[in-house]
């Protein structure tokens, strides 16, 4: 109801007061209360003062009151955000197969983070530092990082859960690949969750490995899902190439892909070869793996795509642990360590210049920069005009990086 008429209601709702009169005074008051004869001199003054003015004011007031009652929006309770709704769901019923995909993905990556960290701690012998953090507008993450380990110079296994609002320019950009997004809205709530991992071993004979699997969703104003998609991938980046390592890595990933669609591995392997490229140097970052993005309902339904992402993430440990166990204790020279530092410089170049995930993270409001840049190695080198010797193992790696191979 309009605030302009509330004062009227307050006064009209007050109780009428009748003063108590003592018994001995009632007779006098009764006599005094008889009507008096009319005073002819005052009869002329009877009537309303400025009647036309009062009518005009009354019409304006009533008109304004009616307009306000018709047009004023009713007071609404603040609508709960997607983050608040999800938090309530988890408190009331936990996470089940019937929960929104947002909650299922969040729970899955948390479980995988624990398993991966536990296995890597067994390999290294040292413990990860674990930081739990929260975001002001919902979500947060867990950063697990190991530095100066026995096997890993730097290793990070992070998860992040982000709730936020997409502005119109971001909506228009995303709608190119996701037609389900409403083009008429000025903003959309979004959810993003993912597990990101990079391992930089001490030994130059052991390859660096990267992994990232993520889920993104936008919501309608009423909280229902608007658009969703999965993305991710993994790739191997050796300083010294052992063909059997590349073959094992690709074979394990292919098996995970084939469980869901025989076309996935060749398609996503090519996507990886085209994505992880330092274009300014005309060479790949490593020997590849798989990469995919924007897998939504046009590909397969949500549950099947989620199952595919789960299989890929679960394939990490069997794809990499046998490799690191073979290479972590191999002998190496100072010159070979220096080559590893140069190759790490190339790794940094890709992450800071070309990687979309790094750019998205750094441009997200309230971004946790330390977690985003966790992927960078602890040490790296840039030597001016460095060229490996012809016929050397270093030159062989560069040759392979300039012409991606089919490993299986």
């Amino acid at each position: 109801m309009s605030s302009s008429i509330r004062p009227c209601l307050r006064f009209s709702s007050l109780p009428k007061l009748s003063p108590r009169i003592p018994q001995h005074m009632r007779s006098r008051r009764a006599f005094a209360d008889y009507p008096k004869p009319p005073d002819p001199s005052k009869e002329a003054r009877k009537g309303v003062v400025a009647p036309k003015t009062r009518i005009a004011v009354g019409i304006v007031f009533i008109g304004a009151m009616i307009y306000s009652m018709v047009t004023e929006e009713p007071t609404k309770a603040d609508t709960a955000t997607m983050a608040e709704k999800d938090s309530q769901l988890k408190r009331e019923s936990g996470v089940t197969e019937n929960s929104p995909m947002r909650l299922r993905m969040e729970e899955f990556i948390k479980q995988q983070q624990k398993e991966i960290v536990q296995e890597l701690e067994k390999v290294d012998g040292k413990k990860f530092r674990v930081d739990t953090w929260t975001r002001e507008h919902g979500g947060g993450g867990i950063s697990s990082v190991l530095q100066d380990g026995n096997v890993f110079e730097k290793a990070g296994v992070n998860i992040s859960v982000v709730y936020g609002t997409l502005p119109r320019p971001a909506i228009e950009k995303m709608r190119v690949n996701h037609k389900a997004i409403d083009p008429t809205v000025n903003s959309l709530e979004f959810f993003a969750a993912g597990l990101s991992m990079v391992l930089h071993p001490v030994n130059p004979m052991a390859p660096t490995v990267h992994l990232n699997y993520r889920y993104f969703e936008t919501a309608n104003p009423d909280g229902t899902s608007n658009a969703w998609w999965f993305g991710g991938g993994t790739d191997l980046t050796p300083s010294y190439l052992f063909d059997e390592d590349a073959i094992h890595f690709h074979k394990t990933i292919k098996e995970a892909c084939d469980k869901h669609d025989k076309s996935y591995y060749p398609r996503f392997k090519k996507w990886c070869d085209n994505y992880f490229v330092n274009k300014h140097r005309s060479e790949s970052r490593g020997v590849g793996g798989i990469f995919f993005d924007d897998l939504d309902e046009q590909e397969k339904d949500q549950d099947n795509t989620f199952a595919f992402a789960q299989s890929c993430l679960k394939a990490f440990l069997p794809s990499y642990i046998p490799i690191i166990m073979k290479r972590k204790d191999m002998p190496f020279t100072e010159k070979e360590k220096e080559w590893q530092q140069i190759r790490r410089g190339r790794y940094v170049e890709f992450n800071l210049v070309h990687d979309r995930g790094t750019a998205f993270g750094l441009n997200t409001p309230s971004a946790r920069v330390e977690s985003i840049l966790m992927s960078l190695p602890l040490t790296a080198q840039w030597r001016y005009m460095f060229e490996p010797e012809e016929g050397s193992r270093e030159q062989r790696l560069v040759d392979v990086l300039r012409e991606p191979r089919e490993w299986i």
Side-chain angles (χ1 to χ4, degrees):
M1 182 174 288
S2 170
S3 58
S4 61
I5 65 173
R6 288 189 187 117
C8 300
L9 292 178
R10 292 193 190 101
F11 287 107
S12 63
S13 61
L14 290 175
K16 295 181 180 178
L17 301 178
S18 300
R20 293 186 178 181
I21 302 173
Q23 183 68 31
H24 68 279
M25 294 180 65
R26 286 182 182 174
S27 59
R28 292 186 228 171
R29 287 297 304 270
F31 179 80
D33 287 343
Y34 282 114
K36 296 179 180 180
D39 185 352
S41 64
K42 294 181 180 178
E43 280 295 319
R45 294 200 297 264
K46 279 186 179 180
V48 178
V49 177
K52 293 183 180 179
T53 302
R54 290 196 175 191
I55 291 172
V57 171
I59 291 172
V60 171
F61 173 77
I62 294 171
M65 182 176 69
I66 294 172
Y67 176 82
S68 177
M69 293 174 66
V70 171
T71 61
E72 185 177 62
E73 292 186 4
T75 304
K76 296 180 181 178
D78 291 338
T79 304
T81 64
M82 183 160 50
E84 291 167 340
K85 291 176 182 176
D86 285 354
S87 180
Q88 182 177 352
L89 271 176
K90 285 187 282 188
R91 288 195 306 269
E92 292 177 352
S93 55
V95 180
T96 69
E97 291 183 357
N98 297 320
S99 297
M101 183 57 68
R102 302 185 299 271
L103 304 187
R104 294 165 63 189
M105 181 65 174
E106 178 183 351
E107 182 180 64
F108 173 66
I109 59 177
K110 285 181 177 179
Q111 291 172 345
Q112 287 299 297
Q113 183 190 37
K114 288 180 181 179
E115 291 182 21
I116 291 171
V117 166
Q118 288 172 358
E119 291 303 312
L120 295 179
E121 285 178 342
K122 291 177 184 177
V123 172
D124 191 276
K126 288 189 176 181
K127 294 288 186 181
F128 278 71
R129 170 180 171 170
V130 179
D131 294 326
T132 301
W133 48 278
T134 58
R135 295 182 79 254
E136 181 182 354
H137 301 293
I142 305 172
S143 298
S144 300
V145 179
L146 173 64
Q147 289 186 159
D148 294 316
N150 298 313
V151 175
F152 300 107
E153 190 171 292
K154 187 178 180 185
V157 186
N158 294 354
I159 62 168
S160 61
V161 177
V162 178
Y163 291 87
T165 303
L166 292 173
R168 188 171 182 82
I171 294 170
E172 292 173 350
K173 187 175 180 181
M174 288 185 173
R175 196 173 182 277
V176 173
N177 295 316
H178 305 283
K179 301 303 181 185
I181 294 178
D182 186 350
T184 64
V185 297
N186 290 319
S187 65
L188 274 177
E189 278 194 288
F190 78 88
F191 168 89
L195 185 152
S196 181
M197 180 195 69
V198 178
L199 309 179
H200 295 289
V202 174
N203 196 313
M205 301 300 156
T208 288
V209 68
H210 157 262
L211 172 151
N212 177 282
Y213 291 101
R214 57 194 176 273
Y215 174 74
F216 196 96
E217 180 179 311
T218 61
N220 294 310
D222 63 0
T224 58
S225 179
N226 177 268
W228 59 268
W229 61 90
F230 287 88
T234 181
D235 66 300
L236 197 69
T237 305
S239 297
Y240 286 92
L241 180 58
F242 294 89
D243 287 18
E244 62 266 33
D245 292 352
I247 292 169
H248 170 78
F249 186 77
H250 279 265
K251 183 175 181 292
T252 309
I253 297 168
K254 182 179 183 299
E255 290 171 354
C257 291
D258 287 350
K259 292 177 183 177
H260 302 273
D261 193 316
K262 297 286 186 181
S263 71
Y264 276 176
Y265 172 75
R267 178 177 155 203
F268 298 153
K269 193 266 185 189
K270 183 178 181 181
W271 200 343
C272 180
D273 289 340
N274 293 333
Y275 179 75
F276 290 105
V277 178
N278 270 326
K279 298 179 179 66
H280 57 284
R281 293 190 181 274
S282 300
E283 64 180 37
S284 299
R285 186 172 77 173
V287 295
I290 60 169
F291 176 82
F292 59 90
D293 204 2
D294 299 317
L295 295 192
D296 57 16
E297 71 280 354
Q298 297 181 31
E299 183 72 37
K300 283 184 170 61
D301 65 61
Q302 196 175 53
D303 284 331
N304 276 313
T305 309
F306 180 41
F308 166 62
Q310 287 177 304
S311 294
C312 291
L313 184 46
K314 290 178 179 179
F316 165 69
L317 290 174
S319 74
Y320 185 72
I321 295 298
I323 296 173
I324 192 67
M325 294 302 291
K326 281 195 294 184
R327 308 301 172 198
K328 67 184 181 67
D329 297 319
M330 289 182 69
F332 61 89
T333 66
E334 186 176 337
K335 182 181 177 181
E336 289 166 338
K337 184 68 178 176
E338 182 181 282
W339 173 247
Q340 180 196 50
Q341 299 300 297
I342 293 170
R343 294 312 309 172
R344 283 182 177 172
R346 304 289 198 270
Y347 198 94
V348 171
E349 289 174 22
F350 177 84
N351 281 30
L352 296 184
V353 176
H354 301 296
D355 187 54
R356 291 189 301 179
T358 302
F360 176 82
L362 293 176
N363 286 299
T364 299
S366 305
R368 193 171 193 266
V369 177
E370 290 297 320
S371 296
I372 296 165
L373 299 183
M374 168 276 300
S375 62
L376 302 182
L378 196 60
T379 58
Q381 287 185 14
W382 284 265
R383 287 187 173 270
Y384 181 69
M385 297 297 287
F386 181 88
E387 292 291 339
E389 296 178 10
E390 284 293 329
S392 65
R393 294 184 66 195
E394 292 83 2
Q395 183 61 54
R396 179 172 182 263
L397 174 70
V398 174
D399 292 342
V400 169
L401 298 182
R402 288 175 179 166
E403 293 289 340
R405 293 188 178 184
E406 297 298 327
W407 295 100
I408 51 177

